[in-house]
Amino acid sequence: MSASPAVSVPLRAATPEGAPHAHDVMHWMRPGTLQFQALPPLSLYIHLPWCLRKCPYCDFNSHESRTGADGLPEAQYIDALIADLDASLPLVWGRPVHSIFIGGGTPSLFSPAAVDRLLGDVRARLKLEPGCEITLEANPGTFERHRFRAYRAAGVTRLSVGVQSFNDAHLQALGRVHDRAQAIAALEEAAQAFDTFNLDLMYALPGQNLAGLDADLDQALALAPPHLSVYHLTIEPNTFFAKHPPALPEDDIAYAMLDRITERTAAHGLQRYEVSAYAQDGHRCAHNLNYWQFGDYLGLGAGAHGKLTFAHRVLRQVRFREPRLYMERAMAGNAVAQAEEVGRADLLFEYMLNALRLREGFALAQFSERTGLPVSTIQRPLQEAERKGLIGRALHRVWPTARGLDFLSDLQSLFLPEE
Ligand SMILES: C[S@@+](CC[C@H](N)C(=O)[O-])C[C@H]1O[C@@H](n2cnc3c(N)ncnc32)[C@H](O)[C@@H]1O
Ligand code: SF4
């Protein structure tokens, strides 16, 4: 799902003119009680908020473009993104960019020329690390052969294709704008045009049984994706499915499905390195890994979240969510609706929300480096998690056990701030 890492902090309501101190670097640099010895890698997330049609399960900040791709305010939106970046530069001065993720929404609604301009404007302002991974999310409903190659030529290094299922009946029930044949054509072209790509699937779909899941996996694995993301369909509040819930497979079937996914991906050389992510050697997603390792990210675009570390604090930002308002506010110099320092207890819990999703877990030294907190702060919950068989520990590392991954929210909740 990529675009947003796990976040626990409820942020205060937006003010109409934007968050105070949003770009005031001296404010965020002032002394404080936390000590960060080094800054983590910095990624860039860019949100493009339009889709052809809103899927009934989706709670992402995505808006139907009633006029299709032709009616999108492409040029104005990129102007706004760049104005937003310009205003944000003092907060990330001198830091190289580790990875870029252009997510949505449906970024593949934007023309390759627009993506080319966007990446050119980003490069003119920020230094990218050598080999910087640049992912773009694509929907097979927007697929044209020349388009994927043109994204590659614009500098995109990795495509993430939202397929969800290869079964036309499921695709229809999920309100998708593409069918099985378009999905296969898009993935075949992604494999040709890019050195690496990701395929998004969902499981535990309305009316799906184990045989249906097997058929989806047969097709997905036949395309030999270097990276596969498989998400349990969740019914999110404020979606069409929340108001009109479809009949879903029972929990024990869903567990059996997850076991099947883990077994079959492993047999095809895809290692489960995160709760929902499976990759061939050398094809893990650098951008998402940076989220899960509690790295920094500047989030540009409507509703985008950001996290930035300074010598004595961590800043959390959220941009205005509604695309027109975002564009207006970005052009006026402050697209940041909310900006807040993350408190100590929330830092600890957010670190665990992310790092415990990784099969390899985390190094204790990294916990201190990324949260500014001493390891002693987590000794008690670590002991408790170990006693319950949810984590394994060596001298310098902690990782979730198989049981810990199965009961991840129980494990994470051991690190919740005490009341
Ligand atoms: C933000 S979407 C962007 C991808 C692209 N817009 C698309 O849908 O083709 C990223 C992925 O999140 C997953 N996703 C979205 N909503 C979900 C939900 N309610 N439950 C599980 N997975 C979900 C889907 O697999 C989707 O491909
Ligand atoms: S295409 Fe993707 S982002 Fe758009 S509504 Fe569907 S799931 Fe959400």
Side-chain angles (χ1 to χ4, degrees):
M1 194 149 345
S2 77
S4 276
V7 170
S8 69
V9 187
L11 285 142
R12 264 187 240 123
T15 56
E17 56 294 331
H21 305 296
H23 304 115
D24 176 359
V25 69
M26 296 313 287
H27 180 77
W28 303 112
M29 297 272 287
R30 73 193 191 285
T33 52
L34 290 172
Q35 298 290 341
F36 290 91
Q37 305 301 337
L39 299 183
L42 173 71
S43 293
L44 179 63
Y45 174 72
I46 303 177
H47 192 75
L48 307 188
W50 290 283
C51 291
L52 287 176
R53 193 162 77 203
K54 182 81 183 174
C55 302
Y57 55 86
C58 176
D59 77 336
F60 285 82
N61 186 28
S62 58
H63 303 257
E64 252 177 40
S65 161
R66 294 205 176 78
T67 46
D70 298 338
L72 288 184
E74 241 183 32
Q76 295 97 299
Y77 193 73
I78 291 176
D79 289 344
L81 288 171
I82 297 306
D84 189 1
L85 173 57
D86 279 334
S88 309
L89 284 178
L91 300 187
V92 295
W93 212 248
R95 296 178 66 179
V97 173
H98 167 79
S99 63
I100 302 180
F101 197 102
I102 307 177
T106 301
S108 55
L109 279 179
F110 273 51
S111 65
V115 172
D116 187 50
R117 185 189 145 208
L118 172 62
L119 290 177
D121 286 353
V122 167
R123 278 203 178 85
R125 289 161 176 80
L126 291 171
K127 186 171 156 42
L128 309 192
E129 278 179 10
C132 176
E133 175 191 275
I134 304 182
T135 303
L136 179 122
E137 280 184 338
N139 182 314
T142 62
F143 168 67
E144 292 160 43
R145 200 161 294 277
H146 78 274
R147 212 177 165 88
F148 282 11
R149 293 188 186 243
Y151 290 134
R152 179 73 192 88
V156 173
T157 64
R158 178 177 185 270
L159 211 63
S160 177
V161 187
V163 170
Q164 322 312 349
S165 172
F166 290 99
N167 176 315
D168 280 333
H170 291 326
L171 288 172
Q172 238 178 21
L174 293 173
R176 300 292 294 176
V177 292
H178 61 88
D179 61 14
R180 166 188 173 86
Q182 281 169 304
I184 293 173
L187 289 159
E188 283 173 346
E189 183 57 23
Q192 293 285 318
F194 291 87
D195 294 338
T196 192
F197 68 95
N198 168 55
L199 192 174
D200 273 348
L201 277 186
M202 295 195 299
Y203 74 99
L205 305 177
Q208 193 178 43
N209 56 22
L210 263 178
L213 171 78
D214 265 329
D216 266 352
L217 288 175
D218 286 343
Q219 181 56 69
L221 295 170
L223 292 158
H227 192 288
L228 184 65
S229 302
V230 193
Y231 303 110
H232 185 299
L233 172 67
T234 45
I235 304 300
E236 303 288 351
N238 303 317
T239 58
F240 181 88
F241 273 180
K243 282 190 212 95
H244 308 278
L248 297 174
E250 300 288 333
D251 281 355
D252 53 343
I253 309 267
Y255 278 121
M257 287 180 171
L258 181 57
D259 287 344
R260 188 71 65 92
I261 292 163
T262 312
E263 246 167 60
R264 294 202 53 195
T265 46
H268 274 75
L270 289 162
Q271 201 203 2
R272 185 182 187 196
Y273 70 102
E274 187 263 354
V275 177
S276 310
Y278 304 78
Q280 290 173 8
D281 274 354
H283 291 273
R284 293 180 180 192
C285 176
H287 186 84
N288 286 342
L289 268 173
N290 194 37
Y291 287 155
W292 296 321
Q293 292 171 345
F294 215 50
D296 277 2
Y297 50 100
L298 176 64
L300 302 177
H305 288 232
K307 166 195 172 261
L308 296 171
T309 305
F310 296 88
H312 302 291
R313 62 188 41 73
V314 172
L315 161 66
R316 170 82 58 209
Q317 298 181 320
V318 187
R319 262 70 179 160
F320 285 98
R321 188 176 163 86
E322 200 283 315
R324 292 275 161 194
L325 180 61
Y326 167 78
M327 287 193 274
E328 205 179 279
R329 298 305 313 156
M331 296 313 286
N334 189 5
V336 179
Q338 299 153 54
E340 259 171 32
E341 187 171 332
V342 186
R344 282 169 173 263
D346 286 324
L347 273 176
L348 188 163
F349 183 55
E350 273 192 37
Y351 182 88
M352 295 301 167
L353 276 184
N354 287 289
L356 290 171
R357 298 180 63 90
L358 289 170
R359 193 121 240 175
E360 289 168 9
F362 61 92
L364 288 169
Q366 193 196 58
F367 167 80
S368 286
E369 188 189 296
R370 302 281 157 100
T371 60
L373 299 167
V375 172
S376 55
T377 24
I378 49 171
Q379 282 314 338
R380 241 187 16 185
L382 283 180
Q383 273 160 12
E384 171 97 16
E386 195 173 24
R387 196 179 55 75
K388 292 184 163 164
L390 298 172
I391 57 163
R393 284 169 91 172
L395 192 53
H396 302 298
R397 272 200 96 71
V398 173
W399 60 89
T401 56
R403 184 180 159 79
L405 276 186
D406 283 348
F407 296 94
L408 186 59
S409 38
D410 293 344
L411 169 56
Q412 288 162 331
S413 65
L414 295 176
F415 297 90
L416 269 170
E418 279 167 23
E419 297 290 308

